[in-house]
Amino acid sequence: MRGLLLVLSLSAAALAAMASGLRPDTFYVGDPGVKLVSARNALRFPAHPLNIPLPRIGAEAVPHVEQFFAVHDDHLHAVTSEFFPLASAPLLKLWGLRGLYVLPALGFLAVLASSAWLAWLLDRSRNAALVAGVAALGTPFLFYGLEFWEHMPALGLSVTGVALLLDAARRRP
């Protein structure tokens, strides 16, 4: 257990060090940019956080947008996860653009911990610290933990869910 805590602590420190060196304003295009537009919209219009106003040219609303947005009459919807930008919006308000890196980083740590737990549940002789270390260094998880994408929080919740189900199944009378 001490080894796993050490790997998780070192991974968190490495992630924080790498994230602190990233420019917080580098994800304005593509999928992360769409999530940023959606998170900002949630803060600006809390009564209808998913309805993004159409862009304007002068005073006229224009329905010509990129493919990551779906036009619905007088507003847009981001064609992306709805929950992730909504969950990120309070972190954006609290810490600015740097706050958007919090959920992916937490997802990264959750994947490491839950992968180690899952490995241990499958075979009690497995070294949980080694499993977490391999997951941290031998997979693209670290990259995704440094991006404003929902991949790591989703994977973290998924692996944790699988471990919980396996643990519960093994405890059944």
Side-chain angles (χ1 to χ4, degrees):
M1 184 60 126
R2 247 184 275 160
L4 177 59
L5 291 175
L6 178 63
V7 169
L8 292 174
S9 298
L10 289 173
S11 296
L15 188 70
M18 284 184 256
S20 70
L22 291 174
R23 287 181 52 134
D25 60 350
T26 59
F27 48 78
Y28 287 103
V29 297
D31 195 23
V34 172
K35 290 170 187 14
L36 174 60
V37 168
S38 190
R40 283 181 169 161
N41 189 73
L43 293 174
R44 196 166 161 213
F45 304 106
H48 47 86
L50 300 175
N51 296 352
I52 301 167
L54 288 169
R56 298 190 166 281
I57 296 178
E60 189 171 332
V62 182
H64 307 294
V65 294
E66 71 169 66
Q67 64 188 5
F68 280 115
F69 294 99
V71 178
H72 297 281
D73 299 322
D74 64 342
H75 66 276
L76 308 169
H77 285 169
V79 182
T80 183
S81 160
E82 293 174 346
F83 179 74
F84 183 69
L86 292 177
S88 299
L91 300 169
L92 174 62
K93 183 176 183 178
L94 188 62
W95 291 308
L97 291 174
R98 292 242 179 248
L100 298 176
Y101 292 105
V102 171
L103 290 180
L106 291 175
F108 170 71
L109 295 173
V111 167
L112 300 186
S114 58
S115 294
W117 182 29
L118 182 60
W120 181 80
L121 285 170
L122 291 169
D123 179 359
R124 307 271 183 193
S125 67
R126 297 210 185 180
N127 183 328
L130 181 61
V131 170
V134 169
L137 299 174
T139 67
F141 298 161
L142 178 60
F143 169 76
Y144 290 124
L146 290 166
E147 291 289 327
F148 182 51
W149 287 338
E150 68 274 13
H151 298 71
M152 288 317 300
L155 186 59
L157 290 171
S158 298
V159 178
T160 300
V162 169
L164 285 167
L165 287 171
L166 181 60
D167 189 42
R170 297 235 167 124
R171 290 177 189 245
R172 276 190 9 203

